[in-house]
């Protein structure tokens, strides 16, 4: 992992036996299968959002397992990649919540650059095999990331979508923080309470109340697609 201000907070994990076993597992998987995201993108959530700058944490479960989708930020895909259904619904809720025009792409890096930590609980996946890298050690590591965010002195807003993310609430103990929970934005559950939950405006209200700068949730227009079309 490239050196960031996360390293001193997480360095102890790299000496644990589970970490060595996890890295051997991922190396072996890459030797035999296509694995997403690419090696250089695995820790993008931590690269793009320093611990000191974290204001909001959105927790996902696994990376997307289709070609070209995962790039190290939960729910995000790079410009030019078709939007997964959950991200389509996130964009719809964003538009309804804040009146922001639906973006023409799915790259959420502008959020990450402002302090929105877009972390999956599991950081790799075998192509076309959902959940294939669960229970191999990634969850132990990312739970420590959650604990490091929980230790933040300033208010952080935790946005927990779906049953899996909501189970992580037990790791959030600092009463200074705000937790926003709802069903997952997937088509199977979005109509059960994700739509209308207003997570983006509520997060900004909590940040402003704590004297922190709100997030500009608007996503600038994307680059041209690989085939030259918008």
């Amino acid at each position: 992992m490239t050196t960031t201000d996360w390293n001193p907070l997480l360095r102890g994990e790299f000496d644990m036996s589970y970490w060595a076993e996890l890295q051997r597992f991922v190396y072996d998987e890459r030797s035999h299968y296509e694995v997403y995201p690419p090696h250089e993108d695995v820790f993008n959530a931590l690269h793009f959002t320093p611990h000191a700058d974290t204001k909001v944490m959105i927790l996902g479960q696994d990376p997307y397992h289709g070609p070209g989708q995962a790039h190290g930020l939960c729910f995000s895909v790079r410009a030019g990649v078709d939007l997964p259904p959950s991200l389509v619904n996130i964009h719809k809720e964003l538009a309804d919540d804040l009146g922001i025009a639906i973006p023409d792409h799915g790259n959420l890096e502008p959020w990450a650059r402002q302090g929105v930590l877009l972390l999956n609980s599991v950081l790799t996946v075998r192509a076309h095999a959902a959940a294939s890298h669960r229970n191999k050690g990634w969850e132990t590591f990312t739970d420590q990331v959650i604990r490091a965010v929980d230790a933040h002195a300033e208010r952080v807003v935790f946005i927990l979508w779906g049953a899996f993310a909501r189970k992580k609430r037990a790791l959030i103990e600092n009463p200074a923080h705000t937790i926003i929970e709802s069903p997952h934005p997937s088509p199977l559950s979005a109509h059960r309470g994700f739509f209308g939950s207003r997570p983006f405006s509520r997060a900004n209200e909590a940040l402003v109340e704590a004297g922190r700068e709100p997030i500009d949730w608007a996503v600038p227009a994307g680059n041209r697609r690989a085939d030259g079309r918008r």
Side-chain angles (χ1 to χ4, degrees):
M1 193 170 80
T2 305
T3 300
T4 69
D5 71 345
W6 290 100
N7 283 70
L9 303 172
L10 301 172
R11 187 177 295 130
E13 301 305 298
F14 308 145
D15 297 325
M16 299 287 189
S17 60
Y18 87 85
W19 183 259
E21 293 168 6
L22 170 62
Q23 298 313 305
R24 282 194 295 269
F25 167 77
V26 174
Y27 178 84
D28 186 65
E29 284 281 290
R30 289 194 188 276
S31 298
H32 293 90
Y33 308 99
E34 190 75 20
V35 171
Y36 302 132
H39 175 76
E40 63 272 15
D41 289 339
V42 169
F43 296 103
N44 273 349
L46 303 180
H47 294 163
F48 294 162
T49 310
H51 178 266
D53 297 343
T54 300
K55 298 177 181 177
V56 176
M57 182 174 187
I58 299 178
L59 186 67
Q61 190 163 2
D62 294 281
Y64 296 125
H65 54 85
Q69 292 181 312
H71 68 118
L73 304 177
C74 72
F75 296 105
S76 179
V77 294
R78 286 199 167 99
V81 177
D82 290 341
L83 271 63
S86 291
L87 185 52
V88 170
N89 288 338
I90 290 169
H91 282 176
K92 288 178 180 177
E93 179 61 21
L94 179 64
D96 289 344
D97 186 5
L98 294 174
I100 291 173
I102 292 177
D104 64 353
H105 65 95
N107 193 338
L108 304 181
E109 186 177 332
W111 294 0
R113 297 289 187 185
Q114 294 181 73
V116 181
L117 183 62
L118 297 167
L119 186 75
N120 278 312
S121 182
V122 176
L123 299 188
T124 55
V125 67
R126 187 190 301 176
H128 311 297
S132 52
H133 287 192
R134 288 184 195 170
N135 302 316
K136 302 297 183 181
W138 280 127
E139 295 93 338
T140 302
F141 176 73
T142 54
D143 280 358
Q144 286 301 111
V145 176
I146 297 171
R147 292 186 180 100
V149 175
D150 182 53
H152 219 289
E154 294 185 277
R155 175 174 293 172
V156 175
V157 180
F158 291 83
I159 297 179
L160 307 178
W161 289 330
F164 175 84
R166 295 167 88 168
K167 289 178 182 177
K168 300 297 183 179
R169 181 175 184 141
L171 300 173
I172 305 166
E173 299 179 340
N174 188 338
H177 302 321
T178 296
I179 300 173
I180 297 173
E181 301 180 70
S182 80
H184 196 274
S186 75
L188 294 175
S189 56
H191 291 280
R192 300 175 187 165
F194 172 76
F195 288 135
S197 61
R198 300 178 52 249
F200 308 104
S201 62
R202 290 166 63 195
N204 277 353
E205 289 164 4
L207 290 172
V208 170
E209 182 183 63
R212 306 196 75 183
E213 286 292 317
I215 303 297
D216 179 0
W217 295 101
V219 178
N223 299 321
R224 290 189 176 275
R225 295 169 58 100
D227 59 12
R229 295 185 289 111
R230 291 299 289 184

